[in-house]
Each structure stands twice: as C-alpha cells, then as structure tokens.
Amino acid sequence: MLSVFLSILLLSGTAFAKQKEVSLKVGWLPRKIEQGDICVVNVLVAKGIRSLTGEFQGKDLSFYKVKKGRLFRTLIGIDMETDPGTYQLVISAKSRSGKTVKGRYRIRIKERDFGEQRITLPEEMVELDEDTLKQVEDEEKKVKEIWTKERSDRLWRGKFIKPLDGEVISPFGVRRILNDLPRNRHSGVDLEAGMGEEIRSSNAGIVVLVDELYFSGKSVVVDHGRGLYTMYFHLSRIDVEEGQRVKKGEVLGLAGSTGRSTGPHLHWGVRLHDARVDPFSLLKLK
Ligand SMILES: [Zn+2]
C-alpha cells in the first residue's frame, strides 16, 4: 500500500525533490494545488533521521509517521481565500548525530473559480439588530477559540466519509449574493437532506462543540486531532455531548433547518490548522 502510494507520486510527476546529502525525499499531492485544497506532504527520510519539522505560510508543520517505515506525512490546509502565487515550504530534518539539514521547495497555489450564488432571504434574516450582531460576534469568538486548541495526536483512521448521501445544493467557496448584496464566500458544502435524516461523523474524533448558534443553528464540531475539525450545522436534534468520543460513521444528530436556513439541509465544513478547506478534498485523502 505504502509503496503503491509512493510510486503513484513518482509516476504522476509530482514535484519530488531529493536532497542528496541526507536523502530527504519530499513529494506532495495534489499535483495542482488550488485555493481550498488539502495538500498532503510526504517526506521519506534516510535512516538516522530523528525528527522532522517544517514551515509553510508562517505556520509550523508537524509530521506524523505513516505506518512503521521512514515515511512521514503532514496535511496543509490552503485557505479558500489564500492569495494565488508561489509559497515556500521549508522542511528541516535532524539526524541522531545532531546535524540539521533544510530543504526548501516551492508550492504554487492556483486560483479556483468558485462561482457565485444568488440567494433571496426575508430582510429580517439579513439585516441584524444590535443585540443579534453582538450575539453573532460572541458566538464567532467562541468557535474561533476551538481552532486554537490543536491536539497533537491523530484520532482519525482511514478514509473520511460523507456525513450523509445528499447531493450538493450549494458548493464550497461560492460567493453568496444575498438580496443583491455580495457577502462572504461559502465556507462549507450544503448537502441535501431530508428532515430528520441521520448525520454521521466523517471519521473518529472528539466532540468539541455542541451549541445552538444564530447562523448555523444546532451545531456539532468534531475534533479529529492534529488541527483537523469537521462541522455539522442546522441539525434538528443533537445526539452527542461535548467531550464525547465518536467513531467514524457514528450518528451525531438529525438533519434539520435550524439557524439561518430556508429548508432542511446539512452544512458540512472542514477546518485544517484554521484554514477553511473544501470537505471534498478531505474525501480524497488515502
Ligand atoms: Zn452552508
């Protein structure tokens, strides 16, 4: 499985640079990286390398070992509003003898055409009074806090799954035009759902938020460890509690239309090291 993955990397011609003196091989996927993608960085190290560190876009990278070999991996979240351009990835390897070797690689982030979506809502759902604005601000602060508390262990295993089978009714990243006024980009994917349909956790993790919020209604956030979180919004009922461990596929609650919503659906979102990324790029992870 491991060797298959490596050969795929080599065959696809992914930037695969070799630092001869320490034989540090670095490769990443997908080959063309766009705004909102999850970038998987694989590093194959020589024997005798004790630790690996890295940096990208001013954030420290921490690697985890893939199986028991000498292959290390980290996931980088490319926020949907990252400026397109070329960014430097720095990887440092430290050997047992204390020698540090640095590799520098250029990662190009391409612009993605997310498109736009016009939505008409009753004015009172768009124009918020002062009290509601304050409530929304407080809620945003509370949710933002979650992204700052990254667990160093990885709780997910294997592939991620869609929380339910519904079709996409509003894609990731579209520019929302509410009652003719341009608003924020859509930071998740809206999936069609029947009222009361079961919503399942995309992978194993720990529930870190159960709350009813102004915009997202009854909401659940699952922490999968290592800075990766999935979000499930507008539920009609929540069946889990904060602090509870959940398995992949475990029911978190039932679909609904709570919060600012015009009909039953699931808003499914993903955060990776505080970057808003496309949930469908999570499904592509091996
Ligand atoms: Zn949504």
Side-chain angles (χ1 to χ4, degrees):
M1 176 67 196
L2 199 67
S3 55
V4 168
F5 184 56
L6 274 172
S7 4
I8 290 168
L9 264 178
L10 288 162
L11 286 172
S12 66
T14 307
F16 205 83
K18 192 177 175 187
Q19 291 272 306
K20 272 184 192 143
E21 61 277 23
V22 286
S23 101
L24 184 71
K25 285 185 185 173
V26 177
W28 56 86
L29 284 171
R31 203 173 155 201
K32 282 183 189 159
I33 300 167
E34 295 186 333
Q35 295 167 313
D37 275 342
I38 291 176
C39 174
V40 182
V41 178
N42 289 300
V43 182
L44 188 63
V45 301
K47 271 185 193 156
I49 294 295
R50 209 185 52 200
S51 65
L52 263 188
T53 52
E55 200 204 297
F56 188 72
Q57 291 185 317
K59 288 182 193 170
D60 288 335
L61 305 176
S62 74
F63 291 83
Y64 58 91
K65 243 184 181 176
V66 180
K67 297 190 179 159
K68 278 184 185 149
R70 288 181 279 124
L71 183 64
F72 289 78
R73 183 171 293 166
T74 193
L75 304 182
I76 297 177
I78 310 294
D79 188 82
M80 62 181 187
E81 288 189 298
T82 299
D83 289 331
T86 303
Y87 293 81
Q88 187 172 243
L89 165 70
V90 182
I91 294 176
S92 306
K94 205 172 188 177
S95 71
R96 280 204 195 95
S97 59
K99 196 178 163 201
T100 303
V101 182
K102 255 188 195 176
R104 294 174 198 276
Y105 313 90
R106 289 155 67 82
I107 290 191
R108 192 166 159 233
I109 298 171
K110 295 181 72 176
E111 187 164 20
R112 177 169 160 188
D113 180 13
F114 292 108
E116 55 179 51
Q117 185 182 30
R118 291 186 172 268
I119 300 169
T120 309
L121 285 175
E123 264 324 302
E124 66 272 16
M125 281 175 98
V126 181
E127 295 300 327
L128 309 182
D129 61 45
E130 229 171 89
D131 286 353
T132 313
L133 270 175
K134 174 83 177 73
Q135 182 196 339
V136 167
E137 252 173 47
D138 290 347
E139 289 175 358
E140 277 173 359
K141 249 187 229 162
K142 185 182 170 185
V143 175
K144 249 186 154 172
E145 266 291 302
I146 296 173
W147 321 132
T148 65
K149 297 174 193 150
E150 293 191 5
R151 302 173 62 93
S152 57
D153 53 341
R154 180 167 65 100
L155 302 174
W156 81 85
R157 286 293 176 266
K159 284 197 155 209
F160 281 77
I161 59 167
K162 257 170 98 179
L164 83 165
D165 257 344
E167 296 283 303
V168 173
I169 47 174
S170 175
F172 173 79
V174 285
R175 170 77 62 201
R176 292 298 189 48
I177 306 197
L178 280 186
N179 301 353
D180 291 329
L181 284 174
R183 301 278 172 150
N184 288 342
R185 288 193 181 284
H186 190 213
S187 60
V189 161
D190 288 350
L191 298 173
E192 197 175 28
M195 185 61 92
E197 208 174 315
E198 287 178 335
I199 303 299
R200 296 173 185 279
S201 183
S202 292
N203 211 313
I206 292 178
V207 177
V208 285
L209 180 91
V210 167
D211 206 347
E212 180 146 14
L213 307 172
Y214 182 80
F215 283 124
S216 49
K218 287 189 176 156
S219 305
V220 174
V221 176
V222 177
D223 181 355
H224 302 287
R226 302 196 69 90
L228 182 60
Y229 303 85
T230 51
M231 291 165 258
Y232 312 81
F233 294 166
H234 309 298
L235 307 187
S236 59
R237 193 183 86 191
I238 295 175
D239 293 335
V240 289
E241 290 172 2
E242 281 181 14
Q244 187 179 328
R245 277 196 178 248
V246 288
K247 292 183 189 131
K248 186 196 308 194
E250 192 167 330
V251 175
L252 302 171
L254 306 179
S257 185
T258 54
R260 190 167 76 180
S261 165
T262 51
H265 75 281
L266 174 73
H267 173 104
W268 179 36
V270 177
R271 284 265 173 167
L272 176 57
H273 304 300
D274 204 16
R276 296 157 300 172
V277 295
D278 186 345
F280 283 95
S281 66
L282 197 60
L283 298 184
K284 288 182 199 153
L285 296 183
K286 296 241 167 32

